[in-house]
Every structure is written in C-alpha cells, then in structure tokens.
Amino acid sequence: MKKTHKSTITEVLAALVVLGSAAIMFSIFFSSCASTPQSSAPAEKPAPVKKKEYTKLDFMQELQVILNKDGPEKALEYFDAPKAAKYQGDFDIQFLKAAINVSAERLDAAQELCTILSEKDPANQDVIALAAAIAKMKGDNKERSKQLNALLAQDKNNAAANCELASDSLMRKNYKQAKAYYKRALISEPKNTDALFGMGQCDYYLENDDAARQSFKNVLKIDPENTYALLYLGKLAYANDEYKEASDYAKRAIDSDPDNYDCHLDYGMYERYLGHFDNAIKEWTTAISIDSDYFLAYAYRAGVYDEMNKLDSAMKDYLKVVELNPQYYFAYENIGLLALHEEKWEIARNAFSKCFDKNPKNVSYPLMITYCYYMEKNDLKAKEFSDKALRKMDRNTIEYSVLRMFHDRAGEKQIAQRVANLTNRNQQGKMYYYLGLYYDMFGGVEAAKDFYSKVVELNSPMFFEYRLAEWRVKETKE
C-alpha cells in the first residue's frame, strides 16, 4: 500500500481508538437496555403515565447523534449541557469524554481524564489502552511502553497491546515478528479486525498470498465495507493478472470510502490494464482533486497520456511530478524524451542531467546531454561535458567508444562493425540508435535512417531510445 493517504500512523491510530471506544461504549449500553426482561404477568389496568426520566442511555444516544453529525468538538460541548450534569462523575461517561478529546486532538485534556479514571480503576484495560494511544500521539515512548506493559502484565494476549507491538514491528518491516504479535491478539479477540488485517498485511509482504487473501476476507465477514481489506484483495488479484477482479475490489473500496486517494489510485491502475484508458484518467483526476500535492496520480496519468499520444498533457503532468517530488527521476527521463521530440534542447538537457545525477552508470544520459549541447550550437560545452564523463568510464566498453565518437566527431565506421557483432539485443539497439543520432547531427541523413530502421526492426522496446527511433523513422518517411 502506498500509505494511509495524508494521515500519519498516529492519526490513524487515534481514529481507530476513538471510534472503536465510542462504539464499544454505546453498544454496551444499548445491549443492556435491550436485554431488560419483559414481564409475563397478565395485563392489568394501565398505571398513570409518568414523565420519562432522562437516563444515561438517553444522554449517550444524543451524544452519538452529535458526534456523527457535527464531529468531536460539538460533542465535547454537549458534556457541559445542564442535562449532562448528573453524569459528570460517571466512569463510563468520563471515558467517552476522554476518547472524544483524543479525536479532537485535545491530548492534555484526554490525559487528565485518563489519570482520573486510572485512579478510580487502575486495572481497567480500556483506560490503559487509551492512555497508551495518547502517549504515542504525544511522542512519549516511555509512557507508551509503560502502559503497554501494564496491559500485558494483566494478559499477555491483550489485543490492544499486541496490535501496537505488531504495528511497531510492521513499521520496521519485521513481518514475522509482527505476525506473531497479531496471532496473540487474535487469541483474546478472534474477531479483532485490526489484528486480522495486520495478519493479512504481514502475509502479503511475506508473499503468502493464500493466507493473506483469507485474512482480508475474514475482515470483510466482520466489516463488509473495510476499505483497506478491499484494496489489498485488489492488489492480490492484480499480482496474479486478474485485472477485472482487482478492478471490482477497488470499485467496492471507492463505494465504501469515496474520498480516499488510494482507492482512486488503485482503481485507475486496474482500469488502465483493462485498456479503459479514459476511465483510468478519470480516476487519477479524482485522486488529484482529493490531494493535489501528492505526485503519484500525476505520474500514472502522465503515463497514459503518453501512451495515448497526448504529449502536451503528458508533459504537463511529468513536470508536475518533479515539482512535487524532485527525487522521482523516472519522470525526468520522460520529460527529456518528450522535450527531444519537440526539439526543446535545453529542457531535454536539464532533464537528462537530473537523470545522470541519479544514475551515472547509464550511458544514455551523458550521450543525450552531449547531443543536446551540440543541438544548442554549443560545441565547446559538448566536448567539455563528454570529456569529463569519459574519464570515469571503462575504455574497453562499446559505450565508451560511442561517447568518444560523439566527443571526437570521428570513428563511426569502426564502431558500426562492433555494434553489429553485439549479442545483447537491447545493447545493440541502443548503440544503433546513437549511431543514427551521430549521422543525424553531422549530415549523414540517409545513414541515420538506416540505423534508426535497424533499431525499430529489433522490435524490443526495452529502452527509451526505441521510441525516439520510431518517431525519427516516421518523420523521415513524411
């Protein structure tokens, strides 16, 4: 998974703890109310109607409505309402207030309440778990460890503590250890969806696909709209080339969480592999509308625009990618390629220079940079740059000889024979392209066409120069 988009692990944890705690408390009181025994005595004359007493359950029901409708800040205001006064010291109500304070990111207030609750009931596991969550959000690892140890001292299989420890191991990519903690959590709570999902994640990264698939399906049995269980089932289907199944899972994930960046990102990818390019673009555009400051949807959309030959749109997206993530050097390669096609030599040179900085062993980049300098009519810079690059290359390689040819503007006939004898098709195709480029630069247009044609005839586009050769062959025929 890319990540829980625009959320830190802490924020996700807070949401799970708060919503889970509130749900537990509400369900406890609702179930206790529903289970009140009904009298089986014969019907009697109705008693006089009395004014209904405002109960704790009434308060909690009203609080739940406000929490769902208006969010945690409004819910916290409701604790100060006159009708809530009689419940201010109630343990369960105070716990709910602490949990909602966490949701509102009022961590000091939440911690104060946890301290009060802990004094009343030092062994209460819900309070200890909430205190651990607060400590994690505040970055207090010492306090967090203390609270987790307190949970484990009572029960080594405590689900909350083991899920937390598993999460730590998962972050360190120690998937086997994380899985062991999740297994412990499931001993005490077999239907804990966090633990079931975590097990699935661990098996996914350990490439135990069948086990991972079963864990995610177990999550859906309990929570049919669990967004990330659906997304991971999609990833597993995609890994097995089941693109339609992957797409269906991602669509279900969108239905469960329409504003989730990851859902639209994955759905677009699967639709692209099904050949539904317009739908893929639509999904990635939606992802961009959700978060315009993250680069990946732009990168995916640029690739499809490129395949559809919408080169202006592709260039705009590639430029946006490197603006948002300057380290994503693959986008620079595509910027260079499209700039060459448009004969924007300086843009192309700058893009390939970025590539060369990231991958100095790829000879394509110094060759392209040298070529761009020549096309900018700056022969001196071309020679200065290529001379510097040659000093770091193995003199016995064909790549060295080709760059030397660019530098000296000589030696092409001997190199053509050496390239013809190469056995690696990709290497041969690349070197044929640069022979064509050499003749293109220095006047041998017919010879250039022959070499470009040799590249295209290889029909093995495993290098970006293949596409440039295709364009050039097409141009020379027009």
Side-chain angles (χ1 to χ4, degrees):
M1 190 194 323
K2 169 196 121 227
K3 61 178 180 174
T4 303
H5 193 68
K6 279 196 103 176
S7 298
T8 64
I9 296 299
T10 296
E11 290 168 335
V12 174
L13 170 68
L16 290 173
V17 169
V18 173
L19 296 178
S21 300
I24 290 167
M25 294 305 297
F26 286 129
S27 65
I28 288 171
F29 283 101
F30 292 157
S31 62
S32 65
C33 178
S35 61
T36 303
Q38 302 296 314
S39 171
S40 58
E44 297 179 0
K45 184 179 178 181
V49 176
K50 294 182 180 179
K51 185 178 179 181
K52 183 174 179 279
E53 181 186 0
Y54 185 78
T55 67
K56 183 163 117 175
L57 181 60
D58 292 328
F59 172 72
M60 294 184 70
Q61 287 175 323
E62 291 173 5
L63 182 64
Q64 185 178 31
V65 170
I66 295 168
L67 184 62
N68 292 340
K69 181 184 175 184
D70 300 317
E73 293 289 350
K74 283 291 183 184
L76 287 171
E77 290 177 13
Y78 196 65
F79 284 95
D80 296 326
K83 61 176 66 177
K86 64 189 287 188
Y87 302 116
Q88 288 297 325
D90 184 274
F91 187 94
D92 301 317
I93 299 299
Q94 282 186 310
F95 178 78
L96 276 181
K97 188 175 182 180
I100 295 170
N101 267 296
V102 173
S103 186
E105 297 185 7
R106 297 184 179 185
L107 301 184
D108 289 339
Q111 193 170 40
E112 262 185 60
L113 284 165
C114 273
T115 301
I116 293 168
L117 293 168
S118 182
E119 288 171 357
K120 290 181 178 180
D121 184 359
N124 188 290
Q125 294 191 7
D126 288 334
V127 174
I128 299 170
L130 190 59
I134 294 166
K136 182 172 184 177
M137 292 177 73
K138 295 182 81 170
D140 188 344
N141 291 326
K142 184 178 178 180
E143 178 64 18
R144 174 175 174 264
S145 295
K146 174 187 167 184
Q147 300 295 347
L148 292 179
N149 288 333
L151 286 173
L152 294 171
Q154 292 188 48
D155 176 10
K156 69 177 183 180
N157 299 322
N158 179 277
N162 278 289
C163 282
E164 272 294 284
L165 294 173
S167 176
D168 292 346
S169 295
L170 201 61
M171 290 287 287
R172 295 192 297 268
K173 299 185 179 181
N174 189 343
Y175 304 123
K176 290 184 178 179
Q177 181 64 66
K179 189 175 175 181
Y181 283 126
Y182 285 128
K183 279 185 177 178
R184 280 190 184 178
L186 290 169
I187 291 172
S188 60
E189 293 184 21
K191 292 187 177 181
N192 185 300
T193 53
D194 292 341
L196 286 169
F197 179 79
M199 284 281 288
Q201 268 191 307
C202 292
D203 280 319
Y204 175 83
Y205 290 118
L206 291 169
E207 298 184 7
N208 301 327
D209 286 5
D210 290 340
R213 190 177 293 106
Q214 188 57 57
S215 288
F216 296 132
K217 287 185 176 181
N218 287 340
V219 172
L220 295 182
K221 287 177 185 177
I222 301 164
D223 178 9
E225 295 186 354
N226 188 289
T227 302
Y228 280 97
L230 290 166
L231 283 183
Y232 267 94
L233 285 167
K235 292 177 191 298
L236 287 164
Y238 169 74
N240 289 285
D241 299 329
E242 298 289 344
Y243 303 130
K244 179 62 170 65
E245 183 180 347
S247 180
D248 290 344
Y249 275 124
K251 182 62 172 68
R252 284 176 61 189
I254 288 174
D255 291 341
S256 74
D257 191 359
D259 295 326
N260 187 300
Y261 185 99
D262 292 330
C263 295
H264 293 283
L265 195 73
D266 285 6
Y267 185 42
M269 182 168 63
Y270 306 145
E271 287 294 281
R272 176 253 175 273
Y273 277 97
L274 287 167
H276 305 157
F277 285 7
D278 288 338
N279 202 30
I281 288 170
K282 174 177 170 288
E283 292 306 313
W284 293 326
T285 302
T286 301
I288 289 166
S289 72
I290 293 168
D291 184 359
S292 60
D293 293 330
Y294 191 64
F295 77 97
L296 204 50
Y298 292 104
Y300 285 2
R301 192 173 69 175
V304 168
Y305 279 143
D306 212 341
E307 287 187 64
M308 296 173 74
N309 213 34
K310 296 181 177 181
L311 303 186
D312 287 343
S313 296
M315 177 66 98
K316 286 177 184 176
D317 274 355
Y318 285 131
L319 289 170
K320 192 67 178 177
V321 170
V322 297
E323 174 192 327
L324 296 172
N325 185 2
Q327 303 305 313
Y328 196 74
Y329 93 89
F330 299 105
Y332 285 112
E333 187 174 281
N334 287 294
I335 291 169
L337 185 104
L338 297 180
L340 286 178
H341 182 256
E342 297 299 319
E343 298 186 356
K344 295 177 179 178
W345 311 119
E346 185 178 0
I347 293 174
R349 173 170 55 77
N350 288 332
F352 286 122
S353 294
K354 293 286 187 182
C355 295
F356 189 44
D357 289 342
K358 294 290 183 183
N359 188 1
K361 292 184 178 180
N362 188 332
V363 73
S364 296
Y365 304 141
L367 282 163
M368 281 300 182
I369 294 166
T370 304
Y371 168 67
C372 289
Y373 274 128
Y374 278 129
M375 299 309 291
E376 291 175 80
K377 309 301 182 187
N378 196 336
D379 292 12
L380 179 61
K381 277 287 187 183
K383 288 182 178 293
E384 284 179 353
F385 171 80
S386 54
D387 180 67
K388 187 176 178 181
L390 284 164
R391 292 172 187 270
K392 298 179 181 180
M393 294 176 66
D394 182 350
R395 291 172 175 265
N396 298 315
T397 62
I398 185 67
E399 289 83 3
Y400 175 90
S401 297
V402 172
L403 184 55
R404 182 91 247 173
M405 175 184 72
F406 271 41
H407 178 274
D408 296 341
R409 298 176 59 165
E412 64 275 11
K413 291 182 179 178
Q414 298 92 324
I415 289 172
Q417 185 57 50
R418 287 181 64 188
V419 172
N421 293 331
L422 292 171
T423 57
N424 183 302
R425 286 169 61 83
N426 282 331
Q427 186 186 35
Q428 186 181 57
K430 284 179 72 166
M431 295 304 104
Y432 272 143
Y433 173 76
Y434 288 108
L435 277 165
L437 199 61
Y438 174 85
Y439 281 108
D440 238 350
M441 279 192 288
F442 303 124
V445 177
E446 288 303 315
K449 286 170 58 178
D450 289 342
F451 285 118
Y452 291 140
S453 296
K454 288 179 184 292
V455 177
V456 174
E457 286 165 9
L458 288 172
N459 198 27
S460 56
M462 299 297 291
F463 46 93
F464 72 82
E465 291 90 346
Y466 182 91
R467 191 174 180 198
L468 291 168
E470 279 190 312
W471 281 334
R472 198 70 185 96
V473 167
K474 184 179 178 182
E475 288 166 2
T476 55
K477 285 181 179 178
E478 292 175 351

